[in-house]
Amino acid sequence: MGRKVAIIGTGQTKHCSSREDVNEMELIYEAATAALKDAEMTIKDIDAVVLANMELFEGRALPDMWCGEGAGGFMKHAFKISTGGTSGTSGAISGYYHVASGLFDKVMVVGFEKHSEGNASSGMALTDPFWDRHIAAAAIGNFALSVSEYMADRGVTEEQSAKVAVKARRNACNNPHAHLQMPDLTVKEVLESPVLAYPIRRLEMCPQSDGACAIIFASEEIAKKRCPRPAWVRAAVTRHDHIYLGEVKKRLTIMRSLREAAKVAYDIVGIKEPLKEFDVAEIYDPLTYAEIAWYEALGFCKDGEGGKLIDDGITLMSGELPVNPSGGVISTNPVGASGTIRVAEGALQIHGRGGKRQVPDVNLVLVTGYGVYCWSDLLILSSRPG
Amino acid sequence: MGRGDRFGMDPLVAIVGASQTKFEPDKSYESIIETVFNVVMEAMADAGVNRDEVDNIVTSSVDLWDGRTASNQMLTEVVGAIMKSESRVAGDGLGAALQGIMAILAGVSKVTLVVSQCRGSMGVQNEISNWVFDPIYQQTLGLDYLSAGALQANYFMSQFGISQIDCAQVVVKNLREAQNNPYAQVKREITVDEVMNSPMWAYPIKEMDIAPISDGACAVILASQEKAKVLSIKPVWILGVGSCLDSHYLGDRDLAGGDALIMASKKAYHMAGITNPLEELDVAEVTAAFSYQELLWTELLGFCKRGEGANMLKTGMTSLGGALPVNPSGGMMAGNPITVAGLTRLVEAVLQVRGEAGQRQVKGVRRALAHGTTGCCGQGQYVMIVGD
Amino acid sequence: MEKKKGQDELLRITIHMKAHYRFPAGSHYERFFKEIKETGRIMGVKCPDCGRVLVPPRPVCGECFSKTEEWVQVGPKGKVIAFTSIYFPFIDGTTGKPRPIPYGAGLIQLDGAFSAINHILEEGDPEKLHIGMRVEAVLKEKREGNIGDILFFRSIEE
């Protein structure tokens, strides 16, 4: 019943720790205008706007009211998706629904976050008031717990984790938008960086960034007319799991929601050997260990071989399946935009607009989104409409 | 717009289940998750589906109103979203309904649960709504929904010569009719004098002109055409939807001009094939957080000419039994659960079409309109037309 | 980040957020905290369908979507299924102040429970912590009826 949908343009701001030169609306405007330029469209072409953001980090309520105009959300349908940590990909999936439904033809999705405004640690602290606030260790503390399980279950090492950090931060150097770019980072440096929450070290964790990312979704007719090589959305699957960390158990080792989402999406597209069939993957990696664990969950390798994948260089730019040519979330993390960036980075690989981070001959891309504790979004993009 | 033209003639999405809580000033006797679980169970029972048959859930709530980050997280278990597709629209419940409708039209879902919840009692409303205004020009002035609403009221009333008494009539009608609504928080016979004598909060808005803040939740279950025909003897079809966002700065908008509502209703009417709403609609449930808004929105929805809203009410046209009853449920004067309001209007519209609205039933309803707003002074507008 | 033309000084507007909330706990949390306060017992609820004992207790088992009504005591001993040591001074959301670092935290599966709970470990040195180790809840002398009534989990020999 649904129509075919493609991404025909993307745009991002330069992500960094603090964009003091712009307010939130202007930040969105930058990304939106970049996407319009990329798609060779004007704002008049856009039928609807979807914003994605975790507004309590900036202390706001309904920021789409104030900032909607920054993305051209004036006198058209505009609303905000705020599905917790997965907001970025959830917003993109909503954009896909908008066009696939037939109600809209050209939809702009903008994920954004301006961590520098407001106090994100307080924002993170504002969890369940009866239970979670007591521990007050934010995402890092929670992840550290899961990492201890994962290391015990699968034997992944600190060195392997550090290699992922090095890959991310070096890949980021090819990405003009990325926040943390460290061309000379070494495994040794990573292992010598301070421990934040055992065993996670500072250089293994994602930053907090200010940034916005815009994507333009279009119907088949428009995509074929306006884009030389559209990135077709072949699957968009969401699965949510438990909300108490203690129920989730084995968040990294198993990550049930991601495994299930992958199974469903792979079935839709007919993927049997993900490592061979995908040309690029943009995985939402809040920290290094998660990336390794989720290689396994996504079926790139058998359980227990995630570490080997990074040791053998399979997921480097030169490897069989480059993972996160953009530098990933580990390099750039404006929370509400991080998921949207994954979708944009996946799409632009198909568009052939990846510049220095372009992987040659990209036809099939895997994109994932993640939110606390165990929420997964997964999209498959292709150069073929299917 | 692709599907717009023939949508109402062959509707592809229906509402097969609907439920609402009683709207109360303070539901602290139970937690939010208990309230939501109960309303979800009722909606599922109403639709005759169990949790396994629901493949997608969309919730509506707002972090700042809930006092926590990613507040939708607390709902996942009780809306049956474990290992399901779930998303949240932060804004009025009708936005979540639109997301659900699109998911079904996109072929991604066959049965979608839409839930909206809000607890007005948990926070201080003028503290919270102040954070909707941009931090650069308007927030630091201390604007909140009430003071901004007062500006809109003043402007609208002076543009069209509408008096405070005209607005008071809205309150009288709604509270009277709310007596027919078992879910209403406030319901009684009152007089215009009582409204006029209530304390002035922000000129020209008086205490009784303000919809009383509530705690509440409601849910609808949407289904694809195929599923709806199997699940329900009387599916209520979505015939048209419209959504539109206006400018943010109060001074940039024509606060009485309502461009966004005109645009949204035009889209919805077009899809539903409606050219004369007054004739072709049988009942309308509109979201009016203040008395003047009911007059303003009914004009902008095209039920009458500009400036004629008050007269239309005076002649009884918008009362139960009139030509086009507006808010036979009592509307928000009967209870204002803030971001839940729009979805509640949809639930009421569904009950009307099904003939299940009890004492507030309008006779022979075939087409109903549900309206919702997000933000201040109706900056964001939603219109949905449903029918048999 | 570069300043734009015309921007000599970057103007920042500071707005302090004062937001007061009263959170309704609901009957399950109320009973949980009441038990801890009055009897020192930690309670969970058992799902009638899957039989799992869930802590914290909640009205619905998310997996089965069934109402939970059977209360069961769990702990006070349990095993650590995940651990960490925090070296970063995060703000404690209940006090507005950071906890003294480093401090240990873990996922503790109390005896009799399916869920693990996220709580503080007395031992803060990761070298002295391992998965599977046995711990016991240490409660405050004067309890108030909130999660802080459990001070931390102490390592025990078993």
Side-chain angles (χ1 to χ4, degrees), chain B residues 109-357:
Chain B
S109 163
K110 292 199 164 60
V111 180
T112 289
L113 167 68
V114 180
V115 189
S116 183
Q117 73 82 22
C118 191
R119 292 274 180 111
S121 68
M122 269 175 52
V124 180
Q125 293 309 307
N126 62 355
E127 271 179 5
I128 295 173
S129 64
N130 175 248
W131 284 87
V132 177
F133 292 90
D134 75 284
I136 299 160
Y137 297 114
Q138 299 181 122
Q139 182 174 9
T140 45
L141 296 173
L143 278 175
D144 66 322
Y145 278 6
L146 172 61
S147 43
L151 291 173
Q152 184 178 43
N154 196 336
Y155 180 65
F156 166 56
M157 289 158 75
S158 67
Q159 285 276 294
F160 294 100
I162 292 167
S163 67
Q164 289 187 43
I165 290 181
D166 289 330
C167 296
Q169 302 278 19
V170 172
V171 185
V172 171
K173 165 179 85 72
N174 283 337
L175 289 185
R176 181 195 330 122
E177 297 191 355
Q179 291 175 103
N180 298 323
N181 183 358
Y183 302 98
Q185 174 174 323
V186 182
K187 44 179 143 180
R188 59 195 182 89
E189 290 288 344
I190 60 161
T191 62
V192 166
D193 279 343
E194 266 186 80
V195 180
M196 293 301 289
N197 291 333
S198 62
M200 184 69 73
W201 277 37
Y203 179 86
I205 298 181
K206 300 166 291 304
E207 186 172 298
M208 295 205 68
D209 288 311
I210 305 171
I213 299 292
S214 313
D215 288 354
C218 68
V220 296
I221 301 201
L222 303 169
S224 64
Q225 190 189 72
E226 193 191 322
K227 267 283 180 174
K229 288 179 177 164
V230 166
L231 286 172
S232 176
I233 307 168
K234 202 168 185 190
V236 176
W237 299 98
I238 309 272
L239 303 174
V241 298
S243 159
C244 192
L245 185 67
D246 204 336
S247 239
H248 181 62
Y249 294 100
L250 295 176
D252 283 350
R253 296 170 54 184
D254 178 351
L255 290 174
D259 295 331
L261 180 51
I262 292 175
M263 177 83 91
S265 53
K266 228 162 96 179
K267 285 195 184 148
Y269 291 153
H270 176 71
M271 282 172 83
I274 290 178
T275 47
N276 185 340
L278 186 61
E279 300 283 311
E280 299 176 65
L281 289 173
D282 301 306
V283 65
E285 284 278 339
V286 312
T287 291
F290 307 101
S291 55
Y292 76 88
Q293 281 184 356
E294 184 172 305
L295 300 177
L296 179 56
W297 304 148
T298 48
E299 292 176 15
L300 293 168
L301 283 165
F303 297 170
C304 61
K305 288 205 184 64
R306 290 314 316 271
E308 290 293 305
N311 285 338
M312 189 171 66
L313 190 150
K314 274 189 216 146
T315 61
M317 281 175 72
T318 57
S319 302
L320 190 61
L324 177 53
V326 172
N327 292 340
S329 63
M332 284 164 82
M333 287 299 149
N336 175 11
I338 316 165
T339 56
V340 181
L343 198 65
T344 315
R345 309 273 71 73
L346 184 61
V347 170
E348 286 292 326
V350 167
L351 295 176
Q352 290 283 351
V353 172
R354 284 186 189 167
E356 290 174 7

Side-chain angles (χ1 to χ4, degrees), chain C residues 30-48:
Chain C
E30 273 172 27
R31 180 161 168 193
F32 177 77
F33 290 129
K34 193 160 183 265
E35 281 278 355
I36 289 191
K37 179 177 178 185
E38 291 174 6
T39 65
R41 296 197 305 167
I42 303 172
M43 306 295 286
V45 284
K46 189 168 181 183
C47 171

Side-chain angles (χ1 to χ4, degrees), chain A residues 20 136 196 198 242 247 249, chain C residues 12 58 63 84-85 87 114:
Chain A
E20 302 229 330
L196 295 177
Y198 179 85
H242 287 286
E247 235 79 324
K249 291 195 225 175
Chain C
R12 290 175 206 70
R58 67 211 68 161
E63 206 61 47
T84 183
S85 195
Y87 293 84
F114 167 79

Side-chain angles (χ1 to χ4, degrees), chain A residues 14 16 18-22 26 30 56 58-60 119 121-122 125-126 128-142 144-146 148-150 152 195-200 202 241-242 244-247 249 256 373, chain C residues 1-4 7 10-12 17 23-25 29 32-33 52 54-56 58 62-63 81-88 90-94 99 103 105-107 109 113-120 126-127 131 147-148 150-151:
Chain A
K14 163 70 181 152
C16 62
S18 184
R19 285 293 306 271
E20 302 229 330
D21 57 320
V22 292
E26 290 170 328
E30 256 184 49
L56 210 56
E58 290 96 0
R60 303 227 61 81
N119 190 335
S121 310
S122 311
L126 290 172
D128 179 312
F130 302 104
W131 200 267
D132 296 338
R133 284 187 207 189
H134 185 68
I135 310 298
I140 301 184
N142 292 324
L145 293 173
S146 303
S148 72
E149 276 181 319
Y150 180 55
V195 175
L196 295 177
Y198 179 85
I200 304 176
R202 181 185 300 275
D241 208 338
H242 287 286
Y244 294 98
L245 187 59
E247 235 79 324
K249 291 195 225 175
R256 179 170 74 149
Y373 293 113
Chain C
M1 176 203 74
E2 288 153 20
K3 286 189 197 168
K4 298 198 174 46
Q7 274 182 328
L10 297 171
L11 178 65
R12 290 175 206 70
M17 188 166 204
F23 294 99
Y29 271 137
F32 177 77
F33 290 129
R52 293 174 177 180
L54 306 170
V55 184
R58 67 211 68 161
E63 206 61 47
I81 64 166
F83 68 89
T84 183
S85 195
I86 312 291
Y87 293 84
F88 189 88
F90 292 100
I91 306 290
D92 180 343
T94 48
R99 245 178 213 277
Y103 62 95
L107 279 179
Q109 187 173 23
F114 167 79
S115 325
I117 60 168
N118 191 352
H119 213 290
I120 308 286
E127 301 294 312
I131 292 183
I147 193 60
I150 301 176
L151 278 173

